Amino acid sequence: MYTLLNEMSNLLNKPFMNMANNAEAIPVIGALALGLVGALAPCQISGNISAITLYGNRALQKSVNWIEILLFTLGKIVVFSALGFILWLLGNEVKPVFIQIFPWVRKTMGPLMIIVGLFMVGVIKIRWNTLQIKITTKKRKIGSFLMGAMFALAFCPTMFVLFFVSLMPLVFSTSYGAILPAIFAIGTSFPLILFVTFIWFFGFDGTLLKRGRKIGAYIQKAAGVFMIFLGILDILTYW
């Protein structure tokens, strides 16, 4: 399964990899291009599809929640920036530690997708009242940040090479290298940003709510089933 994802990833990211190689003289463009390649890495594809499913469904049900999208991206920015800072501070000695930690973090993504899918389907239910809605809204914002951070830590060999071998030399060789991991993080979030921007720009946000709650409920359950499927597929691939 991983081999198939890797082959598909290599096919999709070739134009962006060429862009990254040709943009070495412009580190910001190079970091962004490497992030775009990272978005299509085998370990990131399922995460990005699940994020698109989750936030795309919310946008179609109500409206695009830009704060949650921003917090999701911010979670990635914080993690990649922290990794870059740690590597700059401690050097290559920390790489073996990361190699041991990342596979375990990666394994948590599948169960996380399944839990989110069960919420969307309605198997796991929450009773609503005004206080709970306020608390849940805060939790969703925190959850968006944590989900972005978790997806950022979902490394595989491709992401490891992109970040540590390709990006970090740019960081070390540039006077403003400290911002490059953040640019890289934005690149990895680009599929989600592009998708919700499409929904917002063409006025599709809230479409399902306008057409009726019953249709929206069916779509949400279908999205939940898809999330569960992604989670199972992710477990079969990385466990």
Side-chain angles (χ1 to χ4, degrees):
M1 185 65 70
Y2 181 83
T3 303
L4 178 62
L5 285 175
N6 193 44
E7 291 176 356
M8 183 173 67
S9 169
N10 291 334
L11 180 65
L12 293 173
N13 68 29
K14 186 173 290 186
F16 301 114
M17 198 68 214
N18 292 335
M19 177 182 170
N21 292 331
N22 294 330
E24 288 183 354
I26 311 174
V28 171
I29 302 299
L32 182 63
L34 287 172
L36 292 171
V37 174
L40 299 172
C43 51
Q44 291 288 314
I45 287 178
S46 57
N48 279 321
I49 293 175
S50 63
I52 288 171
T53 302
L54 177 62
Y55 293 108
N57 175 67
R58 289 180 184 174
L60 291 171
Q61 294 279 0
K62 298 178 181 178
S63 62
V64 176
N65 193 323
W66 291 109
I67 293 178
E68 290 185 8
I69 304 298
L70 177 62
L71 288 170
F72 176 86
T73 306
L74 183 61
K76 287 193 169 190
I77 289 174
V78 169
V79 168
F80 284 122
S81 297
L83 289 175
F85 178 74
I86 291 171
L87 194 62
W88 174 81
L89 196 64
L90 301 178
N92 291 329
E93 291 81 5
V94 298
K95 282 187 181 180
V97 178
F98 290 147
I99 291 173
Q100 293 177 355
I101 293 174
F102 287 147
W104 291 101
V105 176
R106 183 63 188 76
K107 288 181 179 181
T108 64
M109 284 187 60
L112 177 63
M113 292 178 198
I114 292 175
I115 292 171
V116 173
L118 290 173
F119 269 108
M120 295 174 72
V121 170
V123 174
I124 301 176
K125 296 183 179 181
I126 300 175
R127 293 182 179 178
W128 303 99
N129 59 39
T130 304
L131 178 60
Q132 285 180 324
I133 289 173
K134 291 180 180 178
I135 294 174
T136 303
T137 301
K138 290 181 180 179
K139 285 184 177 179
R140 276 174 51 176
K141 291 177 180 178
I142 295 172
S144 293
F145 177 84
L146 293 177
M147 185 178 292
M150 183 70 70
F151 285 5
L153 288 170
F155 269 64
C156 56
T158 303
M159 278 294 287
F160 193 89
V161 170
L162 287 173
F163 188 81
F164 290 101
V165 179
S166 299
L167 179 68
M168 290 312 297
L170 288 177
V171 172
F172 292 140
S173 63
T174 308
S175 59
Y176 53 88
I179 70 168
L180 296 185
I183 302 297
F184 178 86
I186 294 171
T188 64
S189 300
F190 188 75
L192 172 62
I193 296 171
L194 181 64
F195 185 78
V196 295
T197 300
F198 177 87
I199 291 175
W200 170 78
F201 183 80
F202 288 98
F204 294 147
D205 49 332
T207 300
L208 298 180
L209 184 63
K210 295 172 186 175
R211 292 186 177 180
R213 293 184 179 275
K214 186 174 290 188
I215 295 176
Y218 288 141
I219 297 296
Q220 177 162 319
K221 288 182 179 180
V225 170
F226 184 60
M227 285 282 286
I228 294 170
F229 170 76
L230 285 175
I232 294 172
L233 187 65
D234 200 84
I235 291 173
L236 292 175
T237 302
Y238 292 100
W239 282 63

